[in-house]
Amino acid sequence: MSEEDDKKVTNITNVYISDSVISKSSILGEKKEPEEEPEEEPEEEPEEEPEEEIKEIYERRWIILALMSLSLIIVILNNVTLNVALPELSQDLNADNTDLQWMVDAYALVFGGTLLVMGAIGDRFGRKPALQLGLIIVALTSGATAMYASTSEHVIFARAVMGLGAALVMPATLSVVVVVFPSEERGKAVGIWAAMAGAGAPIGLIVGGWSVENYGWEMVFWINVPVIIVALILGIFLVPNSKDSQKRPLDLVGSFLSIGALLSILYAIIEAPNVGWTSPETLGIAGLGLVLTFGFIKWERSTENPMLPINLFSNMGFTMGLVAISLAFFVMFSFMFTQMLHFQLVRGHTALEAAVRFIPLPLGLMPAAANSDKLVAKFGNNNVVALGLTLVCTGMLLFTTVEVGTEYLRIALTFFILGLGMGLTMAPSTTLVMDSIPEDKAGVGSATNDASREVGGALGIAIGGSVLNEIYQNNIVVPEGLEVHSPVATESFPAAMRIGSDLLGEGNMLGSELIANARLAFMDGMVGTAMVSAGVALITAILVKFYMPGKTK
């Protein structure tokens, strides 16, 4: 190991191996004055061993990052792959629309609702055990679902259990990365982690499309098992354990309040497009979520051992980092939701063909995120993130010019621009959030970062979908003679396309006119959604420019 690497090793603090602390003083060879007689304190060997162990961890830090990225990808894949399999699940399990929605939402609700608690459990009892337990839960549930699921209820229950396992995994991955890497390399490492988190969704669509087209919906679950087995075996030998050195007790009241608040808010957001944003159900559940949030804040301020110290939000790096991440995922998930419909129903591609057309997005995102630390060092966090959000805004504005016949090359270029912007936004923002958190709270800090992604993504799909539907329903023109189909065709773009296709199959050429009108109305809705996303990105860029910290030590 070089002299420069030796210096970096001394900056890795609070790494815990086999439940014992390796502190900075042990690395530097400093010794505390013994409280009892010095003569009874023997040789220096006990302090030499931790130093050797921490050097070994430092030398394999990039392998650890690769393992954490692999574990992270498993979580992200499970969040999106099932979407591609919904038509097959509908046929094989006789699932109606409500069943299908809950197959998707059960995972998102349990995952998002329990993130903070699972991050706190990792901090208290060890991030490595939390990671491995979560992976085991996901693997066992995936395998059992693929083999034995025969009803919608089986799949919905399995997805909820998988969400619980994923909530253990995701905070642990980032907190392990933060603890293992010295401060000089942390920005680079977190950038790579953020790149995998951002690229996971489009990769998940491709994996899901390939699985369903070649095997069936069961493969969406089976594909988790061998990947998790590899991650588990390697993790046993390569990933160090770490946890809160002070062994503070779990904040049980805060845990229940956070679960209730996040579940209520996410449920209200997810259900709002179906039951109405101003319906009593939406307003009541959202109100409950806000009440529980205020209760959580009040409790965390008063308790001796808070799960999430509220004073962290006074740090503008922490707060603005969360805001930037949340709104970036708002745009990304809104965009992916509309583009899957665009490619499949407007352009007639299969699920796999549609997913493959997303590839320019991660091609832009991954290198931008992985190398953003260099730009941050030169220009500052606020300027880099503001630039990223401006690129996102530019990409969304370019999408407002897309028409039914626009060639894919132009769309691919826009995807690439969006990917660059997302990468420059996510990585520096995530690094800022984690740099604001004490290492003892790395799990909760990571979970807070992850929860902001979940809430932002859920809002993006809900609001983007609502804008799309509203414009579509106002603009769709049902041809004369098809009045009997008007209510259904006006309510749903996929339904209109299905009705048109059925009519064409019966030899009724009015079906062709209905399909053409539905596509035009959808494109109007897509443009409206892109305008909303562009506005969100621009406003966030302005906030970031003026309120996010610039260069940090």
Side-chain angles (χ1 to χ4, degrees):
M1 185 183 294
S2 67
E3 184 178 341
E4 181 181 350
D5 281 350
D6 264 335
K7 291 179 181 177
K8 287 182 179 179
V9 170
T10 62
N11 290 320
I12 307 175
T13 59
N14 293 334
V15 176
Y16 307 89
I17 300 179
S18 303
D19 298 338
S20 62
V21 181
I22 299 177
S23 67
K24 187 173 183 180
S25 61
S26 67
I27 298 172
L28 295 174
E30 297 167 7
K31 305 179 186 62
K32 295 181 182 177
E33 288 297 324
E35 295 179 7
E36 310 269 320
E37 287 121 327
E39 298 82 31
E40 298 186 11
E41 293 292 333
E43 327 93 51
E44 299 178 1
E45 281 82 7
E47 296 193 4
E48 304 254 345
E49 184 181 355
E51 183 177 352
E52 290 306 312
E53 288 182 278
I54 211 169
K55 284 183 178 180
E56 289 177 12
I57 293 170
Y58 177 78
E59 288 171 353
R60 64 174 187 263
R61 66 199 183 284
W62 296 107
I63 299 175
I64 294 170
L65 175 59
L67 275 175
M68 295 303 99
S69 298
L70 180 63
S71 302
L72 173 66
I73 284 289
I74 293 165
V75 173
I76 304 297
L77 290 186
N78 279 293
N79 216 354
V80 296
T81 49
L82 192 75
N83 295 338
V84 184
L86 292 179
E88 285 72 18
L89 284 163
S90 176
Q91 291 178 356
D92 290 359
L93 303 183
N94 295 317
D96 58 24
N97 286 338
T98 301
D99 293 332
L100 295 176
Q101 182 173 353
W102 274 107
M103 288 178 191
V104 175
D105 293 347
Y107 182 93
L109 279 172
V110 176
F111 174 58
T114 58
L115 270 170
L116 284 180
V117 175
M118 296 305 159
I121 287 174
D123 284 339
R124 176 62 182 85
F125 298 106
R127 291 151 195 149
K128 179 177 179 177
L131 172 69
Q132 294 183 312
L133 175 61
L135 289 173
I136 290 169
I137 290 172
V138 174
L140 291 177
T141 309
S142 296
T145 305
M147 288 191 293
Y148 302 117
S150 58
T151 67
S152 299
E153 289 74 18
H154 291 164
V155 177
I156 292 168
F157 176 76
R159 291 280 292 171
V161 176
M162 290 169 69
L164 187 67
L168 280 164
V169 173
M170 194 168 183
T173 60
L174 182 55
S175 55
V176 167
V177 170
V178 168
V179 170
V180 164
F181 278 83
S183 58
E184 296 89 343
E185 296 177 335
R186 193 170 295 155
K188 180 79 169 178
V190 172
I192 293 171
W193 182 94
M196 300 309 296
I203 291 172
L205 295 175
I206 296 172
V207 171
W210 172 83
S211 301
V212 171
E213 286 194 16
N214 290 281
Y215 298 98
W217 64 263
E218 293 90 350
M219 182 55 70
V220 169
F221 293 94
W222 270 128
I223 204 165
N224 292 319
V225 179
V227 180
I228 290 176
I229 289 173
V230 171
L232 278 171
I233 293 173
L234 293 177
I236 290 171
F237 300 103
L238 298 176
V239 177
N241 191 24
S242 62
K243 60 183 177 181
D244 183 353
S245 59
Q246 299 182 39
K247 297 185 178 180
R248 285 169 283 215
L250 278 177
D251 177 9
L252 294 178
V253 174
S255 298
F256 284 115
L257 287 172
S258 75
I259 291 173
L262 284 169
L263 279 176
S264 300
I265 291 169
L266 284 168
Y267 183 87
I269 291 170
I270 290 169
E271 286 295 306
N274 299 320
V275 300
W277 287 93
T278 58
S279 68
E281 180 180 342
T282 300
L283 295 177
I285 295 174
L288 174 63
L290 291 175
V291 169
L292 290 172
T293 300
F294 285 124
F296 174 75
I297 293 171
K298 186 173 181 180
W299 172 260
E300 295 299 284
R301 281 177 170 166
S302 62
T303 188
E304 183 179 355
N305 295 300
M307 180 171 66
L308 177 64
I310 300 301
N311 60 3
L312 289 173
F313 289 92
S314 63
N315 182 321
M316 291 306 292
F318 181 78
T319 301
M320 289 308 302
L322 292 177
V323 169
I325 291 166
S326 183
L327 295 179
F329 271 79
F330 174 103
V331 175
M332 184 174 182
F333 276 74
S334 173
F335 162 77
M336 291 181 62
F337 169 74
T338 58
Q339 291 313 302
M340 280 300 288
L341 291 173
H342 171 222
F343 282 129
Q344 289 182 267
L345 297 180
V346 175
R347 296 179 177 259
H349 298 304
T350 66
L352 179 57
E353 290 170 344
V356 167
R357 281 160 174 77
F358 278 83
I359 287 178
L361 180 68
L363 288 180
L365 189 154
M366 295 177 74
N371 294 285
S372 61
D373 59 312
K374 299 172 185 174
L375 293 174
V376 167
K378 187 171 184 179
F379 300 107
N381 292 286
N382 59 335
N383 291 320
V384 173
V385 176
L387 172 62
L389 289 164
T390 302
L391 286 173
V392 170
C393 175
T394 302
M396 297 314 299
L397 289 175
L398 287 174
F399 258 105
T400 65
T401 66
V402 172
E403 299 175 348
V404 174
T406 301
E407 60 181 9
Y408 172 69
L409 184 60
R410 184 172 143 197
I411 296 174
L413 178 61
T414 306
F415 273 43
F416 185 77
I417 293 171
L418 280 168
L420 287 175
M422 291 290 181
L424 294 177
T425 300
M426 294 175 187
S429 299
T430 302
T431 302
L432 263 181
V433 170
M434 296 309 296
D435 282 348
S436 306
I437 299 281
E439 285 187 1
D440 283 350
K441 288 287 186 181
V444 169
S446 175
T448 307
N449 171 76
D450 301 335
S452 71
R453 293 167 183 261
E454 279 297 299
V455 172
L459 269 175
I461 293 173
I463 293 177
S466 295
V467 171
L468 175 65
N469 287 336
E470 184 70 21
I471 296 175
Y472 168 80
Q473 291 168 8
N474 289 334
N475 291 12
I476 179 68
V477 176
V478 178
E480 290 185 16
L482 298 181
E483 288 81 4
V484 66
H485 299 293
S486 183
V488 177
T490 301
E491 182 70 23
S492 167
F493 171 56
M497 297 296 289
R498 186 172 60 251
I499 291 169
S501 179
D502 291 343
L503 290 170
L504 281 175
E506 297 168 2
N508 188 341
M509 297 311 294
L510 287 175
S512 178
E513 186 177 348
L514 175 61
I515 289 173
N517 291 349
R519 282 174 172 163
L520 290 173
F522 172 84
M523 295 302 290
D524 291 339
M526 189 181 81
V527 167
T529 303
M531 289 292 291
V532 170
S533 294
V536 168
L538 180 60
I539 292 170
T540 310
I542 294 170
L543 291 173
V544 162
K545 171 65 179 175
F546 291 105
Y547 294 104
M548 179 177 278
K551 295 182 180 180
T552 55
K553 293 183 180 180

